[in-house]
Amino acid sequence: LRRHLCGPVNPAGRSGFREREGDQSVAVIDHDIVHAQFGVNGHRCVNFRLSGHLRGRIITSFRGFDVGWVLRQWGPNFYATLFEHGDWFLPNCRYFRDRIVALGCDARRTSIHRSGIDLSRFAFQPRAALLDGPQVRLVGVGRLVEKKGLDHLIAAVAELRRREHNVLCRICGAGRQERR
């Protein structure tokens, strides 16, 4: 069996990792490039590399909670080792790029890598109006937390309905704002 490393992120910055036989969740031995989704996983990968268990470049994507909750939980220096030893950083927006640069990331080793959809791959096609039921069906999917902006979706649907458009909106997800 190949040996893999896994383990929790340690807030103190030490690796906190343990070896497990047969764990297929993280392949870490001798790769050319490791792309870590989220800063906490980049932090893990750097610790793997510093401990001699990982060879290869480490590219880390920052997507949200890793520049918010993680920093509130473990402090602004949590990523210091990652920024020093990581190879490239991919925040998904300018705000996150500015945030990680302010935390010590070298701006020359960053590129904004958006998480959008290539709309050119989906040509507009007019649709015929439905005879019964809603003419527009919307779905909002995501965590039900303020920063996701689902309150804007609800307000927009309410405005459309106020203007007598036949709209159905379903929201899928869970979170602190579910009850609201």
Side-chain angles (χ1 to χ4, degrees):
L1 294 174
R2 287 179 52 173
R3 291 192 142 202
H4 298 277
L5 300 175
C6 63
V9 173
N10 185 315
R14 295 180 295 278
S15 71
F17 301 106
R18 59 192 181 278
E19 291 188 3
R20 294 201 322 212
E21 290 284 342
D23 184 344
Q24 298 300 313
S25 64
V26 182
V28 298
I29 298 173
D30 202 12
H31 295 291
D32 295 323
I33 297 172
V34 175
H35 181 194
Q37 291 284 341
F38 300 108
V40 293
N41 291 324
H43 174 83
R44 286 178 172 164
C45 289
V46 162
N47 282 318
F48 288 155
R49 187 162 70 185
L50 292 174
S51 67
H53 295 287
L54 171 70
R55 286 185 294 278
R57 293 179 175 256
I58 298 170
I59 298 171
T60 303
S61 289
F62 286 86
R63 306 181 55 79
F65 93 101
D66 47 1
V67 292
W69 179 87
V70 169
L71 297 172
R72 286 189 301 278
Q73 187 77 19
W74 294 326
N77 294 323
F78 180 75
Y79 294 125
T81 303
L82 171 61
F83 294 151
E84 182 180 350
H85 297 282
D87 295 292
W88 202 260
F89 305 94
L90 299 172
N92 68 352
C93 65
R94 185 178 308 135
Y95 175 80
F96 291 164
R97 180 185 183 274
D98 293 346
R99 184 92 194 257
I100 65 173
V101 167
L103 292 167
C105 183
D106 182 349
R108 295 170 296 183
R109 293 188 291 146
T110 67
S111 298
I112 295 173
H113 185 57
R114 301 194 188 281
S115 301
I117 296 171
D118 181 359
L119 296 178
S120 69
R121 295 182 56 197
F122 302 94
F124 174 76
Q125 295 179 349
R127 298 184 311 157
L130 300 173
L131 296 176
D132 60 346
Q135 291 184 355
V136 176
R137 296 171 190 227
L138 301 172
V139 63
V141 180
R143 286 182 294 125
L144 303 182
V145 296
E146 185 176 353
K147 74 177 184 175
K148 296 298 181 179
L150 290 172
D151 53 332
H152 297 289
L153 173 62
I154 293 168
V157 169
E159 178 63 21
L160 289 170
R161 302 240 4 205
R162 188 186 68 71
R163 295 180 187 188
E164 299 184 9
H165 292 281
N166 192 355
V167 178
L168 171 69
C169 180
R170 290 199 168 101
I171 296 176
C172 304
R176 293 186 306 269
Q177 292 192 318
E178 186 170 357
R179 199 173 194 125
R180 182 172 167 233

